[in-house]
Amino acid sequence: MVTVTRIIDSKTEDLRALRSQVRAEYEGFRARKLALDMTRGKPSPEQLDLANALLALPGERDFFSQAKEDVRNYGGLQGLAEARALFAPMLGVTPDRIVIGNNASLAMMNDCIVWALLKGVPGGTAPWSQTPQPAFLCPVPGYDRHFMITEEYGFRLIPVPLNGNGPDMDKVEELAADPAVKGIWCIPKYSNPTGEIYSPETSQRLAAMRTGAPDFRIFWDNAYTVHHLTPRRHEVANILELCEKAENPDRAFVFASTSKVTFAGAGLAFFASSAANVRWYLGLAGKRTIGPDKVNQLRHVRFLKNEDGLLRHMDAHRALIAPKFDATIAALEARLGGTGVAKWTKPEGGYFISVDVVDGTARRIVELAKEAGVAITPAGATWPHGRDPYDRTLRLAPTYPSLGDVRAASEVVALCILLAAVEKQCESQEKKAAHES
Ligand SMILES: Cc1ncc(COP(=O)(O)O)c(C=O)c1O
């Protein structure tokens, strides 16, 4: 492996030599015709296997809930009482404030956006669609599928930088003063992709800030709330309580799911909020469906049993995936440590590592990696409309491939980051020299 120190300070001849060396190494990887994929944050087959007991539950004999409902039949719009009781602590609410949906919290978020546009939300005077050019705040880098929902329904997407403790709250407060700004996407714990954890102050300011829109909503997507990568189980503030205390009781919609607890395609999704918002949600959901899949709810209860069962299950996930995060970080450290060409996160939970590379090189890196047989998330995906104005952020998703593949893929990505940086630096020095001569 070529050893490099800060390349930005290197002389042109040294850089050219380095470029040749790194290119040669890159060609070596290309010749290996790898076929590796670090694009999407999916659980690996081994992680899914942890929940295989679900496949035999609830069994042919006992498909009745504690309240003696036959879970095979219609009804039970809000979800089984025992399932709500099991997941209430995970969302920080009482069981009467949760609605259990089917397998995708994204679908619940999508419903909330569409219903807000067509019908309005509690506290509003009109449906959001009657606001000319409604807008949504999008902390960046963020989750592409959040941005896609609000893009699809015609919101103006306003990026707001994340600062390590959540979004830049001075900016958020300034922007939220505009009555056209209807909400903000938040991933408060182990954020996708930066892994950051919102500070208590950020949460407090979100709950209490003055908003131009009386019906402003925080979409608090706590997708990774129990997805720890270290023994420390981080906590974030209880946004619903904070909103209530700040006399904005209906401001937050909370979402979560078991997609990365049990089965990504067959888990349970949750909506939690104030009493008024839960009534609103159920009123509209009741037109859309006669009831959710309660067989799945019952088998989740029988499988996970209680909060302790849930936490132990998540420990088993951690044992499988923490080494993959370590391997990725080790590869980045080994190749790029001290070079000054990249900064990466060391998340303590969640599913992603975010890497900031030399501005203007992220797309080139994705291309180079693809050529070498490693698929990574398209550059720009973490920004609204898929456009990163700095062409800077890469999102790595180490959970799905095997540990061996993660090691190999991370090595290639790190090399591509270096190659793109050296190429760029060489080019700019060559241009400068041509200009001066
Ligand atoms: C922040 C965040 N929210 C939601 C989801 C998807 O959740 P679900 O499977 O419940 O729709 C993901 C998946 O990657 C995610 O990263």
Side-chain angles (χ1 to χ4, degrees):
M1 188 192 293
V2 187
T3 313
V4 196
T5 47
R6 287 189 60 82
I7 70 157
I8 306 298
D9 309 328
S10 307
K11 293 202 293 281
T12 307
E13 314 81 85
D14 297 341
L15 273 176
R16 283 197 188 126
L18 182 59
R19 182 172 58 185
S20 310
Q21 279 173 300
V22 178
R23 263 192 195 154
E25 213 176 332
Y26 171 76
E27 290 305 328
F29 274 105
R30 231 159 64 108
R32 283 165 57 184
K33 300 214 179 309
L34 298 168
L36 305 171
D37 191 338
M38 290 242 281
T39 50
R40 292 230 71 100
K42 296 200 294 191
S44 65
E46 296 74 25
Q47 287 178 270
L48 298 172
D49 285 346
L50 295 173
N52 275 350
L54 274 180
L55 297 173
L57 289 167
E60 281 184 39
R61 269 182 246 279
D62 186 5
F63 32 76
F64 290 92
S65 70
Q66 278 167 9
K68 304 280 178 270
E69 298 143 292
D70 182 336
V71 297
R72 300 167 306 171
N73 222 326
Y74 276 142
L77 187 62
Q78 191 168 352
L80 297 180
E82 56 267 49
R84 286 187 283 119
L86 168 60
F87 293 105
M90 180 174 126
L91 281 93
V93 285
T94 48
D96 58 315
R97 297 286 181 83
I98 294 192
V99 180
I100 306 189
N102 284 324
N103 71 324
S105 59
L106 266 180
M108 297 179 109
M109 296 175 219
N110 188 89
D111 281 349
C112 286
I113 289 287
V114 173
W115 293 338
L117 282 167
L118 295 179
K119 308 287 290 186
V121 295
T125 50
W128 286 4
S129 56
Q130 288 183 17
T131 299
Q133 283 230 307
F136 228 78
L137 304 182
C138 299
V140 285
Y143 179 36
D144 48 354
R145 290 183 183 276
H146 282 165
F147 303 158
M148 277 181 220
I149 292 174
T150 31
E151 179 180 3
E152 182 65 25
Y153 295 106
F155 287 81
R156 191 160 50 89
L157 307 186
I158 308 176
V160 179
L162 286 160
N163 64 16
N165 295 302
D168 175 337
M169 283 309 300
D170 290 343
K171 269 253 151 58
V172 169
E173 285 164 354
E174 188 189 316
L175 291 162
D178 176 353
V181 173
K182 291 298 193 182
I184 182 169
W185 290 112
C186 293
I187 311 167
K189 201 192 285 188
Y190 310 137
S191 210
N192 172 357
T194 59
E196 68 196 87
I197 301 168
Y198 284 26
S199 69
E201 193 206 337
T202 300
S203 307
Q204 171 59 31
R205 286 175 73 176
L206 282 165
M209 68 186 177
R210 276 166 49 86
T211 59
D215 51 354
F216 183 94
R217 285 294 181 277
I218 301 167
F219 277 58
W220 190 260
D221 180 4
N222 215 347
Y224 298 106
T225 183
V226 289
H227 303 59
H228 314 285
L229 284 168
T230 75
R232 177 154 177 215
R233 294 179 179 141
H234 286 274
E235 288 296 338
V236 287
N238 185 322
I239 194 70
L240 294 171
E241 280 175 13
L242 290 179
C243 288
E244 201 165 320
K245 281 200 193 115
E247 296 184 6
N248 296 310
D250 301 326
R251 180 172 286 181
F253 286 164
V254 174
F255 303 91
S257 75
T258 69
S259 290
K260 285 152 191 147
V261 176
T262 54
F263 294 148
L268 301 176
F270 312 106
F271 169 84
S273 200
S274 66
N277 284 337
V278 167
R279 264 197 312 278
W280 169 84
Y281 187 97
L282 289 173
L284 292 158
K287 311 295 183 304
R288 182 180 177 275
T289 175
I290 309 173
D293 176 354
K294 296 177 301 303
V295 175
N296 202 22
Q297 295 183 21
L298 186 61
R299 61 186 187 169
H300 272 75
V301 172
R302 299 226 173 121
F303 173 60
L304 293 168
K305 295 191 175 65
N306 49 38
E307 202 192 349
D308 195 46
L310 169 66
L311 294 178
R312 273 188 286 113
H313 187 75
M314 295 316 293
D315 287 345
H317 278 284
R318 171 158 73 87
L320 290 172
I321 64 175
K324 297 181 182 181
F325 282 79
D326 292 344
T328 301
I329 289 165
L332 295 169
E333 193 64 54
R335 176 70 70 175
L336 303 172
T339 62
V341 304
K343 274 197 296 209
W344 49 92
T345 56
K346 294 181 186 147
E348 300 203 351
Y351 262 54
F352 301 98
I353 291 169
S354 176
V355 189
D356 279 353
V357 296
V358 172
D359 283 10
T361 64
R363 268 180 307 181
R364 169 80 180 138
I365 291 161
V366 174
E367 203 46 46
L368 284 167
K370 186 173 161 208
E371 288 280 303
V374 177
I376 52 175
T377 309
T382 59
W383 278 72
H385 309 292
R387 285 193 297 270
D388 172 355
Y390 309 104
D391 192 23
R392 174 192 296 165
T393 302
L394 299 174
R395 184 184 84 171
L396 304 181
T399 57
Y400 187 77
S402 69
L403 182 57
D405 283 0
V406 167
R407 275 202 193 101
S410 305
E411 224 190 315
V412 172
V413 172
L415 185 68
C416 295
I417 292 171
L418 182 61
L419 179 54
V422 176
E423 281 177 353
K424 178 129 207 269
Q425 188 66 7
C426 271
E427 252 170 52
S428 78
Q429 291 197 1
E430 280 162 2
K431 257 196 210 139
K432 202 165 139 218
H435 188 71
E436 279 164 7
S437 65

